[in-house]
Amino acid sequence: MAFPVDLRRCRILGLAGTACLALGGETAGALPVRDLLHPASAHAALGLVGAYFGVVLLIAAWALLGRLVRGPRPPAPRALLLVLAAWAAPLLLAPPLFSRDVYSYLAQGAMVEAHLDVYAHGPSRLGGPLADEVAPLWRHTGAPYGPVFLAVAAALSGLTRGDLPAGLVGMRLVALAGVALMAAALPRLARHSGADPSAALWLGALNPLVLLHLVAGAHNDAVMLGLLGAGLVAALGQWPVLGAVLVTLAALVKAPAVLGLAAVVVLQVRAGRSAVKALTATAVAAAGTTVAVTAVAGTGYGWIAALDTPASPQNWALTTLLGRATRAVLEHLGSDLAPLAIPVWHTLGIVAAVAAIAVIWLRLRPRPVYALGLSLVAVAALGPAIRPWYALWGLFLIAAAAPSGSVRHRTAAVTGVLALCVLPSGGPADTGQLLLAVSGGALAVVVLWQARQARLAPALGRAA
C-alpha cells in the first residue's frame, strides 16, 4: 500500500527540513570568522547532525511532491510556487550555508566601490574584516565574474557600508530575485517546449539544489539563470532584441550563459527571420549591451582575462581527477611531464565540451531550449572545476524542455545525490564530520520510516 501523499504534507515536511537546516546552520554553517566553532565542539556537532537531518527531510518532501506532480491531478503552478515560498522562508535569515562564496561577493563589491581593480587583485588587497571572511584559497585571486554582478555587489556594498549581516541579507535577497525569475520563466518555457509546467517547476525551481545553494548559499548563479530564463522567454514572445540583451546580461554575471545567444538566434530563425538578420541583430544587441554595461560598471574588460581564473586544487571535476591520476603515474615513473598532466586534461576537457556542444546543436536545433540545457551540462561536466550548484546551469532548462519523463527521473536522481555532497560549512570534511552527517541523514530516514508506518497502520487495520 502506498504512503498517502498530499500537497499539505509535502509542504509541511519540506518546511520542517529547511527549518532544521537553518537551525543546524547556526552552529555548523559557513559562519563569519568571529562566530566559527571548532568542528569537534558539541554545538557544531549537533548543528551538523541537525542540518543533514533537515537536508534529508527536504529531499524526501521533494521526492513525494514529485509523485503528486506525476499523478493524474498534478498541483497547479501557483500552488507549487506557494510551496517554494514556504520551503525557502526559513533559509532567508539563516547564516550562509554550503559555501563561503558569498563573503567573496561582498569583498569584491567593496573593492569595486573603493575603485580597486577587482580583476587584477584578490580581496587581500582590500584588507580589513571583510577580506578575512573570504576563504584563504581565494583571498589572492581576482574575480571571475562579469560587470553586471560586480555592479550589483558594489551597489550593495554602498548601501550596507560594510556591515556584514546587512550585506549577507542583501546578497541573499539578490539571489532570491534570481530564483523568482527562474520560477516565472519555467512555466512559459515548458509550454513552448510541450512540457508540463508543474513538472518543470518541480524539477527546476523546487529542486533541493536551488534551495540549498541558490537560496541558502546565495550564489550568483541564481542571477545568471534568472536573467537567462527571462531572456529566452522574451525571445519566445517576439522580442528577440530584448531577449539578446537579457541573455547578455546573464553572461555578464557568469560567462556560461553566453551560449544562450545561440538559442535566441535559433528562435528567431524558427519564427521566420532570416539567419543573417537574426545573427546580426543578436550580435549587435549583445555587443552594445556589453559595452554599455561595462562602461556603467566601471570595471573595465578585465573579466575577459579573468575567465581563466585557476580552479581549486580540491575540486572534483572529471578532467581534474583524470589529471591528478595521470600526474601521479608520471611522477611514479619519474617523468618531467608530470606538471603538464592537469593542464593537458583541462584543455582536452574544453575541446570535448566544444565538440559535444556542436553535436548537440546539430541534432537538437529544432529544440533550442533543450539543446541549450544539454550544452550547459556539457560545460559543467567537462570544465576544469565543478561544484554541485553548477548542475543547475543545465538542469534549469532540461526541467523546462526535456522530451520525456525518463530524462527528468534520471536528472532528479542525480539531484538527490548532489544535494548530499557538501557540508553546511562549505569546507572539506574529516571522518568525524562525515559520521555526524551520515548520522543526521540516517536519523531522518528512521523518522520518515516511523511516520510512514504510523500512517499505514490504521489503513491496514481497516483492511483486515
Side-chain angles (χ1 to χ4, degrees):
M1 181 178 292
F3 181 71
V5 180
D6 60 36
L7 191 62
R8 178 176 171 274
R9 289 192 180 94
C10 292
R11 182 171 60 247
I12 292 173
L13 181 60
L15 177 59
T18 54
C20 290
L21 173 58
L23 288 172
E26 293 293 334
T27 56
L31 304 174
V33 172
R34 65 176 182 271
D35 298 330
L36 279 176
L37 300 175
H38 191 279
S41 72
H43 290 296
L46 184 61
L48 182 53
V49 171
Y52 252 70
F53 179 86
V55 169
V56 172
L57 289 187
L58 175 62
I59 294 172
W62 180 66
L64 291 172
L65 184 60
R67 283 175 51 186
L68 282 180
V69 168
R70 295 191 299 271
R73 299 179 62 184
R78 179 176 298 226
L80 292 176
L81 291 175
L82 292 175
V83 173
L84 175 61
W87 289 1
L91 302 175
L92 296 183
L93 296 178
L97 294 166
F98 303 104
S99 169
R100 299 190 68 84
D101 283 4
V102 67
Y103 298 111
S104 296
Y105 301 161
L106 293 173
Q108 290 157 358
M111 290 178 69
V112 174
E113 182 74 6
H115 304 289
L116 297 174
D117 189 343
V118 74
Y119 297 119
H121 309 289
S124 61
R125 176 61 65 95
L126 177 69
L130 194 53
D132 292 340
E133 301 294 347
V134 179
L137 180 65
W138 305 119
R139 286 179 191 164
H140 305 282
T141 303
Y145 311 120
V148 167
F149 180 72
L150 291 176
V152 171
L156 185 59
S157 174
L159 287 172
T160 60
R161 298 185 178 182
D163 182 72
L164 184 59
L168 292 174
V169 171
M171 197 58 72
R172 183 164 279 148
L173 291 176
V174 169
L176 194 63
V179 172
L181 281 176
M182 292 169 61
L186 277 166
R188 294 168 175 81
L189 294 175
R191 292 187 188 99
H192 164 80
S193 304
D196 177 18
S198 293
L201 276 173
W202 170 76
L203 182 57
L206 285 102
N207 193 298
L209 293 178
V210 171
L211 290 155
L212 300 183
H213 297 296
L214 300 192
V215 178
H219 282 285
N220 57 9
D221 302 70
V223 181
M224 178 190 78
L225 292 175
L227 289 170
L228 177 61
L232 294 175
V233 169
L236 290 173
Q238 307 304 313
W239 297 296
V241 173
L242 176 59
V245 169
L246 290 171
V247 170
T248 303
L249 292 176
L252 294 177
V253 173
K254 294 188 79 169
V258 74
L259 293 175
L261 293 174
V264 173
V265 171
V266 173
L267 288 170
Q268 291 181 70
V269 173
R270 289 185 59 191
R273 199 169 193 179
S274 73
V276 173
K277 288 183 178 179
L279 185 60
T280 301
T282 302
V284 170
T289 302
T290 301
V291 171
V293 168
T294 303
V296 171
T299 56
Y301 291 88
W303 57 271
I304 298 175
L307 293 176
D308 65 351
T309 296
S312 163
Q314 286 82 35
N315 88 84
W316 36 276
L318 174 62
T319 53
T320 299
L321 293 176
L322 290 171
R324 287 181 198 155
T326 304
R327 183 181 62 187
V329 171
L330 292 174
E331 287 174 346
H332 179 72
L333 296 175
S335 173
D336 294 335
L337 298 176
L340 299 177
I342 292 179
V344 167
W345 273 108
H346 284 174
T347 301
L348 291 174
I350 293 171
V351 171
V354 171
I357 291 168
V359 171
I360 288 167
W361 281 95
L362 286 173
R363 294 189 61 182
L364 296 174
R365 188 172 57 182
R367 308 194 62 168
V369 176
Y370 187 47
L372 177 58
L374 293 178
S375 298
L376 289 169
V377 168
V379 170
L382 298 172
I386 191 169
R387 300 293 285 168
W389 53 92
Y390 290 8
L392 290 169
W393 297 354
L395 185 152
F396 168 58
L397 298 174
I398 290 173
S404 68
S406 62
V407 174
R408 287 186 172 83
H409 296 162
R410 289 193 292 269
T411 305
V414 171
T415 289
V417 173
L418 292 178
L420 298 169
C421 285
V422 183
L423 292 184
S425 67
D430 59 29
T431 303
Q433 290 173 313
L434 285 175
L435 288 174
L436 289 169
V438 171
S439 298
L443 179 60
V445 171
V446 170
V447 169
L448 290 167
W449 177 258
Q450 292 296 327
R452 180 181 185 275
Q453 296 301 102
R455 291 293 304 175
L456 289 178
L460 291 173
R462 288 192 299 270

